[in-house]
Amino acid sequence: MSVVKGLVEIMSETSALTKLLIKCVHFSAVKHKKQRRMDPDATPYINHPIGVAQILTEEANITDPTVLQAALLHDTVEDTDTTFEEIEKEFGRDVCNVVKEVTDDKSLPKHERKRLQIEHAAGSSHPAKLVKLADKLHNLRDLERCVPLGWTKQRVDEYFQWSQQVVQNLRGTNAELELELDRLFAKHS
């Protein structure tokens, strides 16, 4: 009887996590619905947070629901009208805290935001570091696939160099992601 009860509990927990992740995907999709990536195909922006979450699950073997939700939500406050209060209300304090860690303050000049990402990377929580690594990997793979409209080769090179500085301060977080990033950096140098 205890084996059956245990299986029922596991199935119930799995169902609840699935519902939570789908709720998160839907929330992010609604928030990003009018946005497009800067690639020549104007890819729907939602592909990016979903891609970050997929990298975490498939390549880094991450199953932590907090990390996966934060990955799906990582650009909502930065790039939409979403507030941290909204994230906390819908998805809880832990998810909100990770999203806060990976969100740039858009009131600051771009060069300052980039500098702060390098500076704050090492002191970030493990979940935030995972999201940052997967985010950088997804963005760099996109840059390798095609250059965004309006970007010069110099801007692409600068993004790779800056990303390498951020990743340097995230070392020791996830060997699989770091290896993939190192492969991209080596190909680009």
Side-chain angles (χ1 to χ4, degrees):
M1 195 63 124
S2 65
V3 171
V4 171
K5 184 177 178 183
L7 286 174
V8 168
E9 287 176 9
I10 289 170
M11 289 173 57
S12 177
E13 187 177 304
T14 300
S15 177
L17 291 175
T18 300
K19 287 178 183 179
L20 189 59
L21 288 174
I22 295 300
K23 176 183 176 184
C24 198
V25 170
H26 181 261
F27 181 93
S28 188
V30 168
K31 292 296 187 171
H32 290 295
K33 72 182 173 192
K34 294 181 181 178
Q35 295 175 312
R36 299 281 182 197
R37 295 287 272 178
M38 292 171 35
D39 61 20
D41 295 330
T43 306
Y45 193 87
I46 189 61
N47 291 7
H48 172 63
I50 291 171
V52 171
Q54 184 177 16
I55 286 170
L56 287 166
T57 59
E58 291 189 11
E59 297 180 52
N61 298 308
I62 302 301
T63 58
D64 181 340
T66 298
V67 173
L68 299 177
Q69 288 175 86
L72 291 165
L73 299 167
H74 79 274
D75 280 337
T76 55
V77 174
E78 190 172 314
D79 294 338
T80 75
D81 63 356
T82 306
T83 64
F84 289 121
E85 294 76 21
E86 208 175 346
I87 298 287
E88 186 169 344
K89 179 182 174 213
E90 293 295 324
F91 303 102
R93 180 174 288 145
D94 291 345
V95 172
C96 183
N97 286 340
V98 177
V99 173
K100 280 180 183 176
E101 285 188 82
V102 299
T103 298
D104 284 351
D105 179 351
K106 286 283 190 123
S107 71
L108 298 173
K110 186 176 182 177
H111 70 278
E112 180 65 7
R113 293 192 314 259
K114 292 198 169 287
R115 185 189 70 74
L116 288 172
Q117 275 199 43
I118 295 167
E119 185 179 304
H120 293 154
S124 297
S125 69
H126 187 73
K129 288 178 178 182
L130 288 168
V131 173
K132 271 292 186 200
L133 285 170
D135 180 42
K136 291 293 172 260
L137 183 55
H138 191 267
N139 283 336
L140 292 170
R141 284 176 175 167
D142 265 6
L143 278 176
E144 193 176 50
R145 182 179 56 83
C146 66
V147 175
L149 297 173
W151 279 43
T152 62
K153 181 180 180 334
Q154 179 181 346
R155 186 167 177 192
V156 170
D157 290 344
E158 288 170 357
Y159 188 88
F160 266 86
Q161 291 166 4
W162 168 75
S163 294
Q164 198 163 13
Q165 291 177 309
V166 174
V167 169
Q168 188 60 37
N169 288 339
L170 298 170
R171 294 282 175 194
T173 302
N174 183 279
E176 292 84 0
L177 296 182
E178 292 166 38
L179 180 62
E180 285 303 310
L181 284 156
D182 287 342
R183 286 181 183 147
L184 282 174
F185 294 140
K187 279 172 56 177
H188 191 76
S189 56

